[in-house]
Amino acid sequence: MTDNNDPLIRRRTVLLGTGATAAALTVAAAGTNKLTTTENEAGRTAPVAATAVCTLTKELTEGPYYLDGALVRADVTEGKPGIPLKLTLTVVDNSTCAPLNRALVELWHSDALGEYSGFVGNNGHQEPDNGTFLRGGVLTGSDGIARITTIYPGWYRGRCIHIHAKVHTNVTLTSDGSFSGGQELHTGQLFVDETITTAVARISPYSTNTVPRTTLAQDGIYGNGGAAAGLMTVTGSTSAGYTGSLTLGIDQS
């Protein structure tokens, strides 16, 4: 089951700038995506979005694998095997570029075999399914930053590697470790340059995924959109793990 043909949900305008701090963002800079490069372990360079580039864009589809009741936690791995991925996501108000304090950034994505918790088997692999692995969210601090530890995602049929994201404000934390209420202001997806994914795909357990891989260029939802569509700045290696960053500017109106 893929989300290739899922209709776009709400069409809020969102400002995305990769690798920038809130103070460096300029709303007026809705120009061409500039690219810089980062080295992967194969010695090739992978284009990533440059610091302080701001681009207005629309949300991306939620897809079929969202579940309510995500746990509020900074580490969502639950022991799932894979290459470590540490994310730094900065949330700002798109009209002022001021950081949003206590915005909840929620993520969910597939494991190394392309299976989502709560839906294991949809990508052709059988494994234990507790309904919570690789799902969770964290509140931003006064600097607007949410830091989440996960693993590099795998792929499933018809989609390139990606991470789903939502941003909520004014949520209430609940006694079971989840959250309720508030306003859901953004739904999007996070992407990684293809040269990095190519290196990851050679490493176990990713290499044991039996489903053909869709590349970033082939993915109809990403649409070669660069930072405007959620392309993160990602550095690191398959041996040391990766770090990824992105700044989300949210329309609160």
Side-chain angles (χ1 to χ4, degrees):
M1 184 175 187
T2 72
D3 53 4
N4 272 36
N5 299 315
D6 287 347
L8 294 180
I9 62 176
R10 299 175 320 277
R11 294 180 174 269
R12 286 185 183 275
T13 300
V14 177
L15 174 70
L16 294 178
T18 305
T21 64
L25 293 172
T26 304
V27 175
T32 304
N33 293 331
K34 297 179 181 178
L35 296 178
T36 184
T37 59
T38 185
E39 190 101 2
N40 69 15
E41 66 265 57
R44 294 173 293 181
T45 55
V48 296
T51 298
V53 175
C54 300
T55 306
L56 290 172
T57 191
K58 292 177 180 173
E59 295 186 333
L60 298 179
T61 177
E62 176 183 281
Y65 297 123
Y66 181 70
L67 291 175
D68 291 323
L71 297 172
V72 178
R73 54 186 179 171
D75 188 329
V76 302
T77 56
E78 294 192 15
K80 294 296 289 186
I83 297 171
L85 175 62
K86 294 186 176 182
L87 300 175
T88 300
L89 303 173
T90 305
V91 183
V92 300
D93 183 291
N94 79 318
S95 63
T96 65
C97 288
L100 270 62
N101 187 26
R102 292 187 63 80
L104 190 134
V105 180
E106 179 186 6
L107 301 179
W108 70 102
H109 65 81
S110 66
D111 67 8
L113 298 181
E115 301 290 348
Y116 281 84
S117 57
F119 301 89
V120 167
N122 280 9
N123 203 43
H125 308 90
Q126 297 303 316
E127 56 185 272
D129 186 359
N130 63 5
T132 62
F133 66 76
L134 304 178
R135 297 178 182 271
V138 68
L139 291 169
T140 61
S142 59
D143 55 3
I145 294 176
R147 292 183 174 87
I148 300 178
T149 297
T150 185
I151 61 169
Y152 203 95
W155 63 91
Y156 56 98
R157 191 175 302 276
R159 287 300 318 277
C160 70
I161 281 180
H162 61 283
I163 296 172
H164 291 273
K166 286 183 183 286
V167 176
H168 311 257
T169 56
N170 301 316
V171 301
T172 299
L173 302 185
T174 56
S175 59
D176 62 355
S178 184
F179 66 96
S180 64
Q183 295 79 46
E184 183 183 303
L185 295 183
H186 171 60
T187 300
Q189 296 181 23
L190 311 177
F191 300 94
V192 183
D193 186 83
E194 186 63 25
T195 56
I196 298 175
T197 292
T198 298
V200 169
R202 300 189 186 106
I203 306 298
S204 181
Y206 303 91
S207 59
T208 65
N209 190 339
T210 58
V211 173
R213 187 166 66 82
T214 297
T215 67
L216 196 66
Q218 295 168 334
D219 190 80
I221 292 176
Y222 170 66
N224 198 30
L231 183 65
M232 296 187 292
T233 296
V234 176
T235 60
S237 67
T238 57
S239 57
Y242 291 97
T243 60
S245 62
L246 187 70
T247 297
L248 303 174
I250 305 301
D251 182 356
Q252 297 192 83
S253 59

